[in-house]
Amino acid sequence: MKSKELFVDLRDRIVSRHKYGECYRTISAALKVPMSTVASIIRKWKKFKTIRTLPRAGWPSKLSDRGRRALVREVTKNPMVTLSELQRSSVERGEPSRTTTISAAIHQSGLYVRVARRKPLLTKRHMAARLEFAKRHLKDSRTMRNKNLWSDETKIELYGVNARRHVWRKPGTAHHQANTIPTVKHGGGCFSAAGTGRLVRIKGKMTSAMYRDILDENLLQNALDLGLGQWFIFQKDNDPKHTAKISKEWLQDNSVNVLEWHSQSPDLNPIERLWRDLKMAVHRRFASNLMELERCCKEEWVKLAKDRCAKLVASYSKRLEAVNVAKGASTKY
């Protein structure tokens, strides 16, 4: 059986030691690499002036250069094109249609099939607003951030998972807009650096009146239980129910400071990672009905560690910096 190739950095260290005058035996003992391998790598470096893996000989490709360029253009123009669609277009051009041939040709251009990430659909207006927000809040103090009470709604399903789509992309481009699936908020809980607040089940479609009642029954008590004091800052997104007149009036009447927020920005809200932790924990419980699901959700929510909450709030500055670097576009968060 053929042995695995050494990592490039290890090959580089072998050549570097050779340049400094070390003999093969010394290099072999220091790096725990067979002496024959050390000799082979150094011979290759002397002959080809490289430590990279050289192209190997093989069967000549049946796909023409023109056909290969056409495939690369097609997946670059539409990263979500399927292999079946690429086969059909290849046949129409009179080129080979085997999936292995097509995949290999595309891989040679550095494009690989990966699961498309789900990201909010961002317009130029969204990106400009996100960038302005990130720049303005990058200098917020840690004390101020620890006063934030983060809130959001989510959907936890009893059965089933969201469908996946695959996309042709290069490494490091997972969050480029062309390689992501736009999502829209479906539409309950809050947390701060001190831990989680109450988790509320929303029955049916939530209205602005229901949202106002949830605030009335939970918000101030949550801030008190988490030790945030009177001057905490409440974060909410721009869902129409959150920005409705009766919701705004309740917040004003109760002197609640609100952190202004921009649409399509879940990557700035650290609660999204907390939702993921909750869903993973709940799905391991295998709830069989809605009442059991609700019980599991509330039990697992209070189990979420306080240090996890503190780390997520601390990540807020990194999220802002990522939005700043991406010029308002989607980030890895």
Side-chain angles (χ1 to χ4, degrees), residues 20-39:
Y20 280 110
E22 293 187 14
C23 67
Y24 292 0
R25 189 182 300 278
T26 304
I27 297 172
S28 174
L31 300 180
K32 295 181 173 54
V33 176
M35 196 158 61
S36 59
T37 303
V38 172

Side-chain angles (χ1 to χ4, degrees), residues 133-193:
F133 177 88
K135 288 180 176 179
R136 181 153 34 92
H137 288 280
L138 266 172
K139 295 181 181 179
D140 287 354
S141 67
R142 180 178 178 181
T143 302
M144 183 180 296
R145 291 170 184 170
N146 287 344
K147 283 285 187 181
N148 285 1
L149 183 61
W150 304 90
S151 71
D152 193 23
E153 295 86 37
T154 191
K155 179 177 68 174
I156 299 180
E157 299 172 335
L158 187 60
Y159 304 110
V161 294
N162 292 328
R164 289 183 170 188
R165 285 205 62 183
H166 291 81
V167 60
W168 293 94
R169 65 171 175 82
K170 292 185 176 182
T173 63
H175 303 282
H176 289 189
Q177 191 159 340
N179 300 332
T180 60
I181 298 174
T183 60
V184 180
K185 289 289 291 181
H186 291 287
C190 66
F191 90 110
S192 75

Side-chain angles (χ1 to χ4, degrees), residues 16-72:
S16 296
R17 284 174 174 265
H18 173 71
K19 288 179 179 179
Y20 280 110
E22 293 187 14
C23 67
Y24 292 0
R25 189 182 300 278
T26 304
I27 297 172
S28 174
L31 300 180
K32 295 181 173 54
V33 176
M35 196 158 61
S36 59
T37 303
V38 172
S40 176
I41 289 172
I42 293 173
R43 281 197 306 271
K44 176 181 175 181
W45 171 74
K46 287 179 177 179
K47 183 176 180 179
F48 300 105
K49 302 301 179 185
T50 182
I51 57 171
R52 300 280 176 176
T53 302
L54 298 172
R56 294 176 173 84
W59 288 101
S61 175
K62 294 183 178 180
L63 193 66
S64 68
D65 289 340
R66 182 180 179 183
R68 183 179 293 104
R69 290 195 299 270
L71 287 171
V72 172

Side-chain angles (χ1 to χ4, degrees), residues 4-278:
K4 292 184 178 180
E5 293 181 340
L6 298 183
F7 291 112
V8 174
D9 63 334
L10 184 54
R11 293 182 235 169
D12 186 51
R13 288 162 64 191
I14 290 172
V15 173
S16 296
R17 284 174 174 265
H18 173 71
K19 288 179 179 179
Y20 280 110
E22 293 187 14
C23 67
Y24 292 0
R25 189 182 300 278
T26 304
I27 297 172
S28 174
L31 300 180
K32 295 181 173 54
V33 176
M35 196 158 61
S36 59
T37 303
V38 172
S40 176
I41 289 172
I42 293 173
R43 281 197 306 271
K44 176 181 175 181
W45 171 74
K46 287 179 177 179
K47 183 176 180 179
F48 300 105
K49 302 301 179 185
T50 182
I51 57 171
R52 300 280 176 176
T53 302
L54 298 172
R56 294 176 173 84
W59 288 101
S61 175
K62 294 183 178 180
L63 193 66
S64 68
D65 289 340
R66 182 180 179 183
R68 183 179 293 104
R69 290 195 299 270
L71 287 171
V72 172
R73 280 198 304 271
E74 196 166 349
V75 298
T76 303
K77 184 178 180 180
N78 178 18
M80 294 188 185
V81 64
T82 65
L83 205 52
S84 298
E85 292 169 335
L86 291 172
Q87 278 183 297
R88 286 195 292 271
S89 61
S90 189
V91 168
E92 291 172 359
R93 289 190 297 270
E95 297 279 356
S97 60
R98 290 184 61 182
T99 56
T100 52
T101 302
I102 293 172
S103 296
I106 299 172
H107 292 168
Q108 287 175 0
S109 298
L111 294 160
Y112 301 90
V113 173
R114 298 291 185 266
V115 175
R117 309 293 176 90
R118 294 180 177 273
K119 291 289 179 178
L121 181 61
L122 296 175
T123 64
K124 289 182 178 180
R125 180 177 61 82
H126 289 138
M127 289 190 283
R130 281 162 51 84
L131 180 59
E132 187 272 334
F133 177 88
K135 288 180 176 179
R136 181 153 34 92
H137 288 280
L138 266 172
K139 295 181 181 179
D140 287 354
S141 67
R142 180 178 178 181
T143 302
M144 183 180 296
R145 291 170 184 170
N146 287 344
K147 283 285 187 181
N148 285 1
L149 183 61
W150 304 90
S151 71
D152 193 23
E153 295 86 37
T154 191
K155 179 177 68 174
I156 299 180
E157 299 172 335
L158 187 60
Y159 304 110
V161 294
N162 292 328
R164 289 183 170 188
R165 285 205 62 183
H166 291 81
V167 60
W168 293 94
R169 65 171 175 82
K170 292 185 176 182
T173 63
H175 303 282
H176 289 189
Q177 191 159 340
N179 300 332
T180 60
I181 298 174
T183 60
V184 180
K185 289 289 291 181
H186 291 287
C190 66
F191 90 110
S192 75
T196 56
R198 296 175 180 177
L199 190 69
V200 179
R201 178 185 174 185
I202 301 167
K203 297 181 180 180
K205 185 177 180 180
M206 187 166 71
T207 63
S208 55
M210 289 172 63
Y211 181 70
R212 188 268 320 274
D213 291 342
I214 290 173
L215 293 177
D216 191 45
E217 295 168 9
N218 297 277
L219 183 58
L220 300 181
Q221 188 60 49
N222 279 327
L224 180 64
D225 293 342
L226 293 170
L228 297 180
Q230 181 181 358
W231 306 114
F232 70 95
I233 303 169
F234 181 50
Q235 179 277 333
K236 61 180 182 62
D237 61 29
N238 290 327
D239 186 291
K241 297 177 287 293
H242 303 170
T243 56
K245 183 179 179 180
I246 59 172
S247 301
K248 288 183 175 180
E249 287 177 348
W250 187 93
L251 292 167
Q252 290 170 359
D253 292 344
N254 288 273
S255 303
V256 175
N257 297 311
V258 177
L259 176 65
E260 80 283 5
W261 203 250
H262 293 289
S263 300
Q264 306 292 68
S265 297
D267 54 344
L268 284 173
N269 192 345
I271 200 173
E272 297 293 339
R273 290 295 180 95
L274 214 57
W275 287 141
R276 187 185 67 175
D277 293 351
L278 174 64

Side-chain angles (χ1 to χ4, degrees), residues 294-309:
E294 181 180 359
R295 178 175 58 80
C296 291
C297 288
K298 291 184 176 180
E299 289 176 356
E300 295 298 334
W301 181 250
V302 297
K303 288 181 186 177
L304 294 172
K306 291 183 179 180
D307 61 343
R308 171 63 169 162
C309 296

